[in-house]
Amino acid sequence: MNPRTGRVELPVYTRAKQEILDITDLVGEAISALGLAEGAILLFCPHTTAALTVNETADPDVRADVGAALARLVPETPFRHAEGNSPAHVRSALLGPSLVLPVAEGKLALGAWQGIYFCEFDGPRARQVWAFPLR
Amino acid sequence: MNPRTGRVELPVYTRAKQEILDITDLVGEAISALGLAEGAILLFCPHTTAALTVNETADPDVRADVGAALARLVPETPFRHAEGNSPAHVRSALLGPSLVLPVAEGKLALGAWQGIYFCEFDGPRARQVWAFPLR
Amino acid sequence: MNPRTGRVELPVYTRAKQEILDITDLVGEAISALGLAEGAILLFCPHTTAALTVNETADPDVRADVGAALARLVPETPFRHAEGNSPAHVRSALLGPSLVLPVAEGKLALGAWQGIYFCEFDGPRARQVWAFPLR
């Protein structure tokens, strides 16, 4: 943990324009690094064309379906923003930039089928997720 | 409260494939059970085909309209996931798995027209909402 | 800060039916008013036809594109709710009523391109955002 910022920075490398990555294990390591036993963890995505969400991680088809649905909801139609990545901004806004998740006995306390996804909408890029303890 | 997990588990029984239920009173009871006077409460949905949201609870037409809009946004079209419930996963991702809500003087501090909805997208099922104190 | 409610109330005045306003500086002032040095801030929108989100604030076209995309996703089609503002309720649900954001050294700790948006969907109105410290 960086003592000045109070956070652990988790590196995430994406390899496609749109990619939904399971970062559950990475977050588990952050909880250990933070020494967080009980309470909650704040995960924050410091990017404007990527987002975080929780969903089923057992079947990889779920992440493919979530990605396909977002691409259908916000298609690559013309927007005003000159960088041309407005669909990525909108998809990110629909999922949101942060998650607050429960921690018990030093571990993420999620439901049986849940895991954490980093959602890249304007990759490939070197990204980060910031993790902060909330006690 | 379960002392090992630090949470109160609120039971929610849904009776339809898609159903939006007002759980505001249930959350109020959880705040009492947690002995939480000031701060915030983390509500977490441990399911991947259900979600939590805040909206107007006075007029039941609002929940019907929110449900109809989500069904229009993510229709029952073919997806890859073999269980056939991908629209439920996507609708859940759009609303999100958790809420952090303010508490003051031992009560939920919401706006005048706000209440808390549990959103079932793959029912009917026996569900839970987990409540954790954030001080 | 109001000692009874534990919150700072940020006034937001919107001037159009739908308007996306940059409130980053206002939130920075709330962090000072709360005397919050490290931890996180809970921002809560106590309205059912408005929402909060984080996105790029450098180029004003991004907010226009996010607004246009939400209007396309949830058009002004007939709904049941007699007040006629159901699209505003649905758009609010898609973005969400609250944000938990990191604070370090007395300042918002956001990514380089991020800022905070108040999203009005049923204006013009006098609105509020509530800010609470989470340590």
Side-chain angles (χ1 to χ4, degrees):
Chain A
M1 188 176 77
N2 181 323
R4 189 177 58 79
T5 61
R7 70 189 183 226
V8 168
E9 299 180 353
L10 312 176
V12 178
Y13 300 95
T14 63
R15 291 156 300 178
K17 173 81 172 170
Q18 179 167 310
E19 184 178 14
I20 300 186
L21 280 168
D22 182 350
I23 60 165
T24 314
D25 290 346
L26 204 61
V27 173
E29 292 164 23
I31 290 170
S32 299
L34 290 166
L36 181 62
E38 311 294 330
I41 188 166
L42 166 61
L43 300 178
F44 184 72
C45 173
H47 311 289
T48 59
T49 53
L52 297 170
T53 196
V54 166
N55 217 304
E56 182 185 321
T57 44
D59 178 357
D61 280 349
V62 170
R63 81 194 71 173
D65 288 349
V66 170
L70 284 163
R72 257 203 306 262
L73 280 170
V74 189
E76 296 286 340
T77 48
F79 278 93
R80 289 169 60 166
H81 181 45
E83 277 187 90
N85 59 356
S86 276
H89 288 292
V90 177
R91 291 174 203 166
S92 301
L94 291 176
L95 295 188
S98 67
L99 294 170
V100 177
L101 302 174
V103 173
E105 300 185 312
K107 292 185 182 158
L108 271 175
L110 303 181
W113 300 98
Q114 290 180 317
I116 305 166
Y117 283 124
F118 181 89
C119 305
E120 170 68 80
F121 297 116
D122 196 30
R125 297 208 206 188
R127 301 289 206 173
Q128 288 191 341
V129 174
W130 296 347
F132 301 81
L134 291 179
R135 279 160 227 271
Chain B
M1 187 176 79
N2 180 323
R4 189 177 59 79
T5 61
R7 69 187 183 229
V8 168
E9 299 180 355
L10 312 175
V12 177
Y13 301 96
T14 63
R15 292 156 300 178
K17 173 82 173 168
Q18 178 168 311
E19 184 179 13
I20 299 185
L21 281 168
D22 183 349
I23 60 165
T24 314
D25 291 346
L26 204 60
V27 173
E29 292 164 24
I31 289 170
S32 299
L34 289 166
L36 181 61
E38 310 294 332
I41 189 167
L42 166 61
L43 299 177
F44 185 72
C45 172
H47 312 290
T48 59
T49 52
L52 297 170
T53 196
V54 167
N55 218 304
E56 181 184 320
T57 44
D59 178 357
D61 281 348
V62 170
R63 80 193 73 173
D65 288 349
V66 170
L70 283 163
R72 259 205 304 262
L73 279 170
V74 189
E76 296 286 340
T77 49
F79 278 93
R80 288 169 60 166
H81 182 46
E83 277 186 90
N85 59 356
S86 276
H89 289 291
V90 178
R91 290 172 203 166
S92 301
L94 291 176
L95 294 188
S98 67
L99 294 170
V100 177
L101 303 174
V103 173
E105 300 184 311
K107 291 184 182 159
L108 271 175
L110 302 181
W113 300 99
Q114 289 179 317
I116 305 166
Y117 283 124
F118 181 89
C119 305
E120 171 67 82
F121 296 116
D122 195 30
R125 297 208 206 189
R127 301 288 206 174
Q128 288 190 341
V129 174
W130 296 346
F132 301 81
L134 291 178
R135 279 163 225 270
Chain C
M1 188 177 77
N2 180 323
R4 189 177 58 78
T5 62
R7 70 187 182 226
V8 168
E9 299 180 354
L10 312 175
V12 177
Y13 300 96
T14 62
R15 292 155 301 177
K17 172 81 173 170
Q18 178 169 310
E19 184 178 15
I20 299 186
L21 280 167
D22 183 350
I23 61 165
T24 314
D25 290 347
L26 204 60
V27 173
E29 292 164 23
I31 289 170
S32 299
L34 290 165
L36 181 60
E38 311 293 332
I41 189 166
L42 166 61
L43 299 178
F44 185 72
C45 172
H47 312 289
T48 60
T49 52
L52 297 170
T53 196
V54 166
N55 217 305
E56 181 184 322
T57 44
D59 177 358
D61 281 349
V62 170
R63 80 193 72 172
D65 288 348
V66 170
L70 283 163
R72 259 205 303 263
L73 280 171
V74 189
E76 296 285 341
T77 49
F79 279 92
R80 289 169 60 166
H81 182 45
E83 277 187 90
N85 58 357
S86 277
H89 288 292
V90 178
R91 291 174 203 166
S92 301
L94 291 176
L95 295 188
S98 67
L99 294 171
V100 177
L101 302 175
V103 173
E105 300 185 310
K107 291 184 183 159
L108 271 175
L110 302 181
W113 301 98
Q114 290 180 316
I116 306 166
Y117 283 124
F118 181 89
C119 305
E120 171 67 82
F121 296 116
D122 196 31
R125 298 208 206 188
R127 301 289 206 173
Q128 287 190 343
V129 174
W130 297 347
F132 301 81
L134 292 179
R135 278 162 228 270

